[in-house]
Amino acid sequence: AKKAGRGQYRFFDQSLNLRDVEQFHLEQSFSEALHNREFVLHFQPQVALDSLQVCGFEALVRWQHPRFGLVYPDRFVPLAESTGFIVPLGLEVVRLACEQIVAWREQGLPPQVVAVNASPVQLAQPDFSERVLAILAQHGVGPDRFDLEITETSILDSTALAHLEALRAAGMSLSLDDFGTGYSGLAHLEAVPVSKLKIDRSLVAKICNRHDDSPIVSSTIILAKRMNLSVVAEGVETREQVVHLTVAGCDIAQGYHFSRPMPAAEVPAFLAQFGRA
Ligand code: C2E
Ligand code: CA
Ligand code: CA
Ligand code: CA
């Protein structure tokens, strides 16, 4: 079966492959999976480049599937978006992040800020901000423990913008994700209540060594600072990139150089060890 558009399948195509069959099964089992609590979050540290301290974690969803094992979001988030399943899934992610913040607190960890991804499909729902704030309140988690990562698509939509204003007013910080992959540039950002800019890893990957400067990254950082935005670099994999980003004035780095996303249970040991290193 070949994908014939958003969430539709043509079953008369000869090129039936395993991946399509898998996608079909994934779509069928979404609601069951939610009910069985098969979605889990992994956490990737964000490191402040001035102090080299962990300043937060990005929560990244995975599907612990009984038959397919650990399934990564690239394999099911697009499908969840086209079927609308991302709406309940997104709320489940907020719930899981709250549960984790509370659990870490109970384990005696210093309070952690968790960044959660929100799809434009979620932000187009009329009750998005209301429901997110209700979940936080239910768990006794302050909105200032949360950072919402949104993409460019959402800053061009009036419903989404109203939600962003409401969340910002409640004390949540907002980050513009994947910056550099869209089309709008920084000019569009003036009307948007984001406080952070995440430079996409495709741009960060262009920083290869100390001598090979990436003018796009450095000028993005300069402009962002001029607009009072903090800059987060994602996909940081090498020491050279850390050095370059630090010199260029980037505030926060995230990537395999520091750590891959890890299960919540590994976070306390990571924090203890990272602080000492
Ligand atoms: P993203 O928001 O841009 O997240 C960053 C992705 O880059 C993550 O992939 C992360 O594991 C990966 N990454 C981090 N550091 C490095 C590095 O140094 N090198 C490389 N090559 N990759 C790195 P992941 O976890 O597979 O997530 C993929 C995408 O799925 C995310 O991209 C995000 O768009 C989406 N996603 C993940 N969780 C959620 C969620 O809860 N809700 C929504 N709506 N989307 C999510
Ligand atoms: Ca993200
Ligand atoms: Ca990103
Ligand atoms: Ca990305």
Side-chain angles (χ1 to χ4, degrees):
K2 217 176 183 171
K3 236 180 159 175
R6 293 167 82 80
Q8 291 172 358
Y9 294 85
R10 266 191 287 132
F11 282 99
F12 304 105
D13 199 287
Q14 61 273 56
S15 64
L16 182 115
N17 65 50
L18 197 63
R19 203 177 161 100
D20 291 331
V21 173
E22 186 197 271
Q23 288 272 297
F24 179 75
H25 283 289
L26 291 182
E27 191 178 347
Q28 295 302 301
S29 50
F30 269 152
S31 5
E32 205 186 311
L34 200 57
H35 181 258
N36 295 339
R37 306 204 56 160
E38 287 168 16
F39 294 101
V40 296
L41 299 180
H42 281 188
F43 296 87
Q44 187 177 37
Q46 301 184 324
V47 176
L49 288 174
D50 56 359
S51 60
L52 288 180
Q53 297 288 307
V54 175
C55 59
F57 288 87
E58 179 175 3
L60 295 151
V61 71
R62 278 97 181 80
W63 184 348
Q64 190 60 66
H65 195 284
R67 279 171 59 202
F68 302 124
L70 196 66
V71 183
Y72 282 76
D74 289 342
R75 307 260 289 280
F76 63 87
V77 163
L79 189 66
E81 287 180 317
S82 63
T83 57
F85 181 74
I86 195 73
V87 174
L89 175 60
L91 294 172
E92 171 75 352
V93 166
V94 172
R95 223 171 277 125
L96 291 170
C98 284
E99 286 175 5
Q100 201 51 63
I101 290 171
V102 171
W104 282 331
R105 190 197 285 154
E106 284 168 357
Q107 290 163 30
L109 239 61
Q112 302 297 323
V113 173
V114 173
V116 164
N117 293 280
S119 151
V121 178
Q122 292 171 259
L123 280 147
Q125 303 298 307
D127 57 355
F128 174 73
S129 49
E130 201 182 308
R131 297 193 67 173
V132 167
L133 292 173
I135 294 171
L136 267 68
Q138 268 163 30
H139 290 83
V141 170
D144 61 337
R145 297 289 112 209
F146 251 71
D147 182 21
L148 199 71
E149 298 195 359
I150 58 151
T151 55
E152 247 174 2
T153 316
S154 293
I155 65 176
L156 305 171
D157 175 79
S158 61
T159 303
L161 271 181
H163 289 311
L164 299 180
E165 296 288 356
L167 294 170
R168 185 82 205 96
M172 194 176 288
S173 78
L174 306 172
S175 299
L176 185 67
D177 207 353
D178 299 340
F179 188 80
T181 58
Y183 50 87
S184 71
L186 282 166
H188 280 268
L189 278 183
E190 259 155 350
V192 185
V194 296
S195 52
K196 283 188 209 144
L197 202 69
K198 291 193 82 172
I199 300 182
D200 192 69
R201 71 164 183 263
S202 59
L203 293 184
V204 173
K206 291 185 174 130
I207 310 168
C208 296
N209 59 59
R210 260 172 254 222
H211 312 288
D212 181 17
D213 187 359
S214 169
I216 303 172
V217 171
S218 356
S219 52
T220 300
I221 294 171
I222 291 167
L223 276 173
K225 302 252 114 182
R226 206 166 281 172
M227 296 175 72
N228 278 321
L229 298 169
S230 296
V231 181
V232 185
E234 68 172 28
V236 176
E237 294 184 352
T238 67
R239 218 190 90 77
E240 285 68 33
Q241 289 169 338
V242 174
V243 171
H244 176 88
L245 288 161
T246 306
V247 170
C250 180
D251 303 287
I252 296 164
Q254 180 184 344
Y256 296 169
H257 174 72
F258 296 109
S259 170
R260 291 188 175 247
M262 64 190 113
E266 293 174 16
V267 165
F270 174 83
L271 284 173
Q273 178 259 320
F274 193 82
R276 264 185 263 119

